Amino acid sequence: MAGFLADVTVVVHFAALLYIGLGGFLAWVWPKTIFVHLAFVVWGVAVNVVPGLPCPLTTLEDWLRARQGLGPLPGGFNEYYIYDDLIPRGLLPVVMVGAIVLLIVSYVGAYLLWRRRTVLVASS
């Protein structure tokens, strides 16, 4: 059971990373989701820049791996699953800039759509 739950944790972790990268676009359709997304972004950035701040999903996966007699993920989730396997290390700066651009575009778009909606409601 611990192996299955560890696998589910990996899937949830990838979903959380996708949400951090692309979730701002959901606010174009559901504006109130921007607050949830902002919390995910702040937490995602903090986990990666504050030394010693653990990611709860990585901690959970490590705990489930220990239940199977396995050690913790070497280097953490990103190091184990993403770097070099999905994204070559040489492209990490490009991917980071791309992620920041996506985040800015999604937030600017969400703001412009929110503003247009409020102007339309106010004028009717």
Side-chain angles (χ1 to χ4, degrees):
M1 184 61 135
F4 171 74
L5 292 175
D7 292 343
V8 169
T9 303
V10 171
V11 170
V12 169
H13 211 151
F14 273 111
L17 290 176
L18 283 173
Y19 182 65
I20 288 169
L22 302 172
F25 292 104
L26 287 177
W28 292 21
V29 180
W30 300 295
K32 291 181 182 177
T33 64
I34 198 75
F35 301 108
V36 174
H37 186 258
L38 187 59
F40 268 77
V41 168
V42 168
W43 184 257
V45 169
V47 163
N48 284 289
V49 299
V50 176
L53 183 63
C55 173
L57 291 171
T58 301
T59 303
L60 176 60
E61 186 178 355
D62 285 344
W63 183 81
L64 291 167
R65 287 171 56 88
R67 300 288 131 316
Q68 301 172 73
L70 302 171
L73 292 174
F77 183 86
N78 293 346
E79 184 78 32
Y80 189 76
Y81 291 109
I82 297 175
Y83 303 159
D84 292 328
D85 291 327
L86 294 178
I87 302 170
R89 285 189 190 272
L91 289 180
L92 285 176
V94 174
V95 171
M96 285 186 216
V97 169
I100 292 168
V101 168
L102 275 175
L103 183 68
I104 291 169
V105 166
S106 71
Y107 278 27
V108 168
Y111 170 76
L112 292 174
L113 288 168
W114 169 80
R115 185 174 166 162
R116 189 175 89 179
R117 286 182 189 118
T118 58
V119 168
L120 288 173
V121 169
S123 66
S124 29

